[in-house]
Amino acid sequence: MRPFSTATCDIENQQSAKSINLYSAINQALHIALETDPRTFVFGEDVSFGGVFRCTTGLADRFGKSRVFNTPLCEQGIVGFGIGLAAMGNRAIAEIQFADYIFPAFDQIVNEAAKFRYRSGNQFNCGGLTIRAPYGAVGHGGHYHSQSPEAFFCHVPGIKVVIPRSPQQAKGLLLSCIRDPNPVVFFEPKWLYRLAVEEVPEHDYMLPLSKAEVIREGSDITLVGWGAQLSIMEQACIDAEKDGISCELIDLKTLIPWDKETVEASVRKTGRLLVSHEAPVTGGFGAEISASIVERCFLRVSNFIYFVLLIEYYREPIQFFFIESQAFHCTNNLILAPIILNILASTLKTQKEENEKNKKVQTMLTCLCGDKRMHAAEWN
Amino acid sequence: MALSHLATSSSRSAALLRPLSSSIYLRRPISTDTTPITVETSVPFTSHQCEAPSRSVETNPKELLTFFRDMALMRRMEIAADSLYKAKLIRGFCHLYDGQEAVAVGMEAAITKKDCIITAYRDHCTFVGRGGTLLEVFSELMGRQAGCSRGKGGSMHFYKKDSNFYGGHGIVGAQVPLGCGLAFAQKYSKDENVTFALYGDGAANQGQLFEALNISALWDLPAILVCENNHYGMGTAEWRAAKSPAYYKRGDYVPGLKVDGMDALAVKQACKFAKEHALKNGPIILEMDTYRYHGHSMSDPGSTYRTRDEISGVRQERDPIERIRKLVLSHDLATEKELKDIEKEVRKEVDDAIAQAKESPMPEPSELFTNVFVKGLGVESFGADRKEVRATLP
């Protein structure tokens, strides 16, 4: 697979960078976290000899068994102890071996971690807690090793959910999560652990949370995704470009609290939105995005005349597409690329048909109330 | 499979294997001999809150030879699965049972198919012990239609409803409360059956195990918690994960028994004892002291957290198959050559089953979307435009 493009991500004071894969980037971040703050601890099942995905390789040797250690097979305990550790002012980095195993710890995360600050009137918190867990399809993971449970956690106020798409992103985002004063669930795309390779700066850097990134600019449709899905969507964008469709691709990075503004601005520009995630459609986070965007870009239109004109103008003001890829298990992530392409092609077809009419309407519209399409922000 | 030959009601024994097995019996009539023999277990049982059963186990030539054959078959099957995995014919996760065969075989010899068994993901041999066929095993492992879960489960999810094998569960420890629920139903039905809920030493530290045990003890459920202690929870040695690795004692108020899980006869004796106990007094914990030769899963070479000497030491000193081989030879029930012949036959059976499994087609792509709900609940899988009801995958 080709390397990821994260060139748009600006990292200040870029010093030396090495080409490494995603698990090594995570490993680097953990080294830096342990190095820079003596109150940092890394623990989980089998982490002291590197963990099943090698993310914690060398940490125990370097920082000692009292800071990097194995726990018994007990997820509820791992998170519970992490909360306690964090509540005493430490940075607890807990590893759940697979996101699929996180459910025994669900109560601890939802009821204990997320609400600690609020229910103690800000006397206590477990902001130093970061829970790392590999998520998503890996091609042959089966029922208990390929789930994408991010939507469950996105329903919980009080925690952040972050998913990186590439090695460089993973390092910067993980360091931000560890240092963020809120408990964070950090899902790592296990499909990319070895597959994704890119230049990663060796120094200590952080990438902002709750800030989406426009990876690719375009004008016909906005594509929103996160984690491993980005690589597939990026491929779809490239393929679509050959058919003359210009796609804008956005990496959400932080799922809660998410960057509505960036997505909104893009949808206002393109008028179409496609959200793709590995998790099942029903109750998925894509539904949340579409609902918010509808609310922001459509229903809030206050001017009735405008409303009518808008409908007339766009016919289908915003087109939403959903893709369900990993209902329970799925053989290959890559099947998605052609499906996305298919949608884009049909979009293009409709678009071509409507283009002629649109031009006429636009002329009319411009005569009536100025070129509002170009100044979409004024709608609200 | 050979076990179901032994049982009088071998309703679903493998048609594939029957001619082979009966031909063995013709050549060596001694194997059907049921004259009782008394054998002493390797080590005495250690008990907690109960009186340990006797070390003297009653068996017979037929049973010993069946043990030998079944364990040799299981061993060969697991080795073959290893090769198939390396040849990328088995994908995903795969956990092998070789070394622990005596637990599956000994347990079956003490109970009936009406008793329930539920286990974790190291389930291939338990399934075979319950009467599953090699074809079902290899087909399932390779994700084929002829698999016991129609190719939809894979290595970790073997099930056999007709002999009350409640399967193959992937989340460490999660099957134990479920098993106690089975025992709860058995208590209601009053049909004198019990449930064996198997888990590993790693799972023994999960909280839900203790929660389920408390309820089972409170209501005197016929639940037998079998801790297959192979001494490593994934890559972590038991003493690093458990304050007390004496798992048979960890039920506190629940009686327990420590058993040499490498000795099929000891396992049989313990399971017989446990069943009687559970029907009369409620739950009991059996700790089977056993060992897995392979790593935790296929991605674990199994030699980073334990020494090669330790593994070869167990193979030489405690191997469950070799123990039975010695017993057969010392009682003069078969010659060394005859035992070698059995192993050869077993090897052929495995090879034949693999060949047959490879012929079985992959599940239809539409199977991806079946069995999620009962049909008719209005669940559709749809293409991107929401018009195509059935998704076809390339």
Side-chain angles (χ1 to χ4, degrees):
Chain A
M1 208 183 80
R2 65 195 177 76
F4 283 80
S5 61
T6 49
T8 53
C9 146
D10 54 86
I11 291 160
E12 286 168 36
N13 309 322
Q14 188 149 341
Q15 297 155 10
S16 63
K18 259 190 195 153
S19 193
I20 56 172
N21 60 20
L22 198 140
Y23 83 74
S24 309
I26 300 274
N27 186 262
Q28 259 188 27
L30 294 173
H31 266 100
I32 291 169
L34 286 157
E35 184 90 56
T36 51
D37 190 342
R39 299 165 307 160
T40 308
F41 300 86
V42 173
F43 53 94
E45 291 158 16
D46 286 352
V47 300
S48 79
F49 55 80
V52 285
F53 291 108
R54 317 310 304 153
C55 292
T56 51
T57 307
L59 295 177
D61 293 340
R62 172 101 182 266
F63 300 100
K65 296 255 174 203
S66 59
R67 293 182 66 202
V68 180
F69 49 90
N70 284 349
T71 64
L73 283 176
C74 180
E75 289 77 14
Q76 188 170 13
I78 294 171
V79 174
F81 279 87
I83 296 169
L85 203 57
M88 297 285 276
N90 299 296
R91 302 214 179 278
I93 308 170
E95 176 178 307
I96 300 295
Q97 199 167 58
F98 281 86
D100 313 60
Y101 307 167
I102 208 165
F103 302 112
F106 199 57
D107 177 59
Q108 288 290 334
I109 297 171
V110 174
N111 285 329
E112 303 306 322
K115 299 169 177 61
F116 204 2
R117 190 188 294 274
Y118 184 84
R119 71 180 134 83
S120 69
N122 206 24
Q123 293 179 76
F124 290 106
N125 70 79
C126 58
L129 175 68
T130 302
I131 301 161
R132 295 177 42 241
Y135 89 100
V138 70
H140 50 257
H143 314 67
Y144 295 136
H145 296 87
S146 49
Q147 292 175 73
S148 302
E150 65 268 18
F152 292 115
F153 298 96
C154 290
H155 195 60
V156 185
I159 53 171
K160 293 188 175 182
V161 176
V162 178
I163 306 180
R165 71 168 185 276
S166 73
Q168 193 192 70
Q169 294 285 313
K171 181 176 171 184
L173 287 171
L174 181 55
L175 280 166
S176 295
C177 291
I178 292 168
R179 292 160 180 170
D180 190 89
N182 297 290
V184 184
V185 181
F186 188 78
F187 288 119
E188 297 164 8
K190 70 172 94 68
W191 184 47
L192 304 181
Y193 270 139
R194 284 164 196 276
L195 218 53
V197 178
E198 72 176 346
E199 295 263 303
V200 177
E202 284 183 305
H203 69 276
D204 182 353
Y205 66 92
M206 298 201 287
L207 295 172
L209 301 184
S210 292
K211 184 122 185 56
E213 180 186 338
V214 179
I215 301 179
R216 231 183 126 86
E217 290 197 15
S219 55
D220 293 334
I221 183 166
T222 302
L223 276 68
V224 175
W226 50 87
Q229 205 63 5
L230 263 302
S231 63
I232 288 147
M233 296 172 86
E234 206 173 12
Q235 189 56 52
C237 291
I238 292 164
D239 293 350
E241 198 168 35
K242 290 174 197 153
D243 291 342
I245 309 169
S246 159
C247 302
E248 182 140 310
L249 180 59
I250 297 179
D251 177 7
L252 208 55
K253 297 196 216 182
T254 304
L255 269 65
I256 46 165
W258 64 287
D259 183 359
K260 289 182 185 148
E261 286 68 29
T262 302
V263 178
E264 183 188 346
S266 173
V267 175
R268 284 194 187 284
K269 186 172 74 175
T270 62
R272 295 184 179 84
L273 174 65
L274 186 154
V275 185
S276 172
H277 53 63
E278 288 186 29
V281 168
T282 308
F285 197 65
E288 175 60 32
I289 295 175
S290 66
S292 298
I293 294 303
V294 165
E295 191 185 344
R296 286 178 162 236
C297 302
F298 184 57
L299 291 180
R300 277 197 195 161
V301 176
S302 50
N303 189 319
F304 183 70
I305 299 166
Y306 231 150
F307 186 69
V308 176
L309 284 173
L310 186 76
I311 298 225
E312 176 61 29
Y313 177 60
Y314 278 115
R315 181 156 305 192
E316 283 182 291
I318 303 161
Q319 296 172 354
F320 290 98
F321 302 104
F322 301 94
I323 295 170
E324 182 150 28
S325 71
Q326 306 286 327
F328 283 88
H329 56 176
C330 192
T331 46
N332 196 335
N333 234 341
L334 283 170
I335 59 158
L336 267 187
I339 297 181
I340 296 178
L341 190 60
N342 211 356
I343 302 169
L344 293 179
S346 66
T347 309
L348 180 76
K349 206 180 152 204
T350 333
Q351 196 181 329
K352 272 182 181 163
E353 283 168 7
E354 289 189 1
N355 260 356
E356 288 306 307
K357 192 179 174 193
N358 282 352
K359 269 181 196 158
K360 289 177 199 161
V361 177
Q362 194 175 14
T363 320
M364 267 167 57
L365 192 68
T366 316
C367 296
L368 280 169
C369 21
D371 188 358
K372 294 293 179 184
R373 194 191 179 198
M374 294 297 117
H375 303 95
E378 291 168 21
W379 287 350
N380 282 354
Chain B
M1 48 199 59
L3 275 171
S4 50
H5 283 285
L6 191 67
T8 43
S9 60
S10 60
S11 54
R12 271 201 86 227
S13 71
L16 163 78
L17 306 179
R18 188 172 284 160
L20 276 170
S21 314
S22 51
S23 65
I24 306 165
Y25 293 163
L26 281 178
R27 263 192 290 117
R28 200 165 9 78
I30 193 161
S31 63
T32 54
D33 186 358
T34 51
T35 333
I37 309 173
T38 305
V39 180
E40 186 116 311
T41 61
S42 54
V43 289
F45 297 104
T46 323
S47 67
H48 169 71
Q49 306 261 32
C50 67
E51 202 162 309
S54 156
R55 277 184 79 176
S56 304
V57 190
E58 197 169 286
T59 179
N60 58 54
K62 183 182 171 184
E63 184 176 71
L64 285 176
L65 280 156
T66 315
F67 279 2
F68 181 81
R69 188 171 208 289
D70 287 349
M71 287 199 284
L73 185 86
M74 289 170 179
R75 177 74 52 91
R76 185 62 214 160
M77 180 182 91
E78 293 298 65
I79 305 294
D82 183 50
S83 314
L84 288 172
Y85 195 92
K86 283 169 183 151
K88 297 203 168 172
L89 285 161
I90 298 174
R91 306 303 304 269
F93 292 79
C94 184
H95 309 82
L96 301 178
Y97 200 74
D98 51 326
Q100 302 182 207
E101 298 93 341
V103 179
V105 165
M107 188 167 61
E108 288 295 345
I111 63 174
T112 73
K113 298 284 187 284
K114 284 186 177 162
D115 295 311
C116 301
I117 296 182
I118 187 165
T119 187
Y121 39 80
R122 207 176 298 285
D123 60 352
H124 308 168
C125 295
T126 317
F127 171 76
V128 171
R130 288 263 96 179
T133 66
L134 288 176
L135 176 62
E136 287 172 310
V137 169
F138 287 115
S139 302
E140 192 58 43
L141 286 173
M142 293 191 279
R144 312 284 172 143
Q145 282 181 10
C148 53
S149 306
R150 295 193 292 143
K152 296 174 79 166
S155 164
M156 303 201 293
H157 310 293
F158 284 16
Y159 299 86
K160 190 164 171 59
K161 197 175 180 193
D162 56 6
S163 50
N164 287 306
F165 178 49
Y166 281 80
H169 296 256
I171 298 298
V172 173
Q175 75 281 9
V176 176
L178 218 157
C180 293
L182 300 176
F184 189 40
Q186 283 168 330
K187 175 103 180 164
Y188 268 109
S189 64
K190 297 194 174 79
D191 54 8
E192 301 287 291
N193 295 323
V194 298
T195 296
F196 286 79
L198 280 71
Y199 59 97
D201 48 304
N205 300 315
Q206 285 277 5
Q208 52 186 323
L209 211 118
F210 294 91
E211 295 169 28
L213 193 61
N214 175 54
I215 299 177
S216 306
L218 192 66
W219 298 338
D220 297 329
L221 305 183
I224 297 153
L225 271 63
V226 183
C227 176
E228 288 186 275
N229 180 5
N230 59 26
H231 305 280
Y232 296 91
M234 295 191 289
T236 302
E238 55 176 354
W239 61 271
R240 292 178 190 270
K243 178 68 182 169
S244 160
Y247 298 103
Y248 68 106
K249 283 185 183 170
R250 288 178 65 178
D252 183 15
Y253 42 81
V254 174
L257 197 65
K258 187 174 181 179
V259 185
D260 180 4
M262 303 298 266
D263 178 353
L265 290 168
V267 174
K268 177 185 136 183
Q269 185 85 330
C271 290
K272 192 163 160 268
F273 170 82
K275 183 175 173 179
E276 282 163 15
H277 175 98
L279 286 172
K280 231 186 295 167
N281 311 309
I284 180 169
I285 297 177
L286 296 181
E287 179 188 345
M288 303 290 181
D289 179 0
T290 184
Y291 202 81
R292 64 167 149 76
Y293 294 150
H294 265 92
H296 164 72
S297 70
M298 300 312 293
S299 53
D300 168 20
S303 51
T304 49
Y305 46 85
R306 54 185 191 180
T307 61
R308 290 191 189 279
D309 287 349
E310 180 185 301
I311 305 170
S312 59
V314 175
R315 273 185 192 277
Q316 274 162 22
E317 306 286 326
R318 298 180 59 207
D319 187 82
I321 301 180
E322 294 312 309
R323 184 187 299 281
I324 299 294
R325 191 196 303 273
K326 274 180 213 154
L327 270 176
V328 168
L329 295 176
S330 67
H331 284 80
D332 203 21
L333 306 175
T335 63
E336 237 170 287
K337 182 175 179 303
E338 282 172 321
L339 293 182
K340 282 255 185 298
D341 286 345
I342 293 180
E343 286 174 310
K344 268 186 212 159
E345 284 160 13
V346 155
R347 181 183 282 253
K348 187 169 181 308
E349 265 176 50
V350 168
D351 291 346
D352 290 349
I354 293 172
Q356 217 179 328
K358 282 180 183 166
E359 298 296 310
S360 175
M362 291 288 181
E364 293 295 325
S366 60
E367 280 291 309
L368 266 175
F369 305 101
T370 60
N371 306 131
V372 178
F373 288 106
V374 173
K375 203 180 169 186
L377 268 183
V379 174
E380 294 174 338
S381 56
F382 45 79
D385 58 0
R386 296 201 173 214
K387 284 172 191 157
E388 283 176 59
V389 171
R390 180 178 294 176
T392 43
L393 304 173

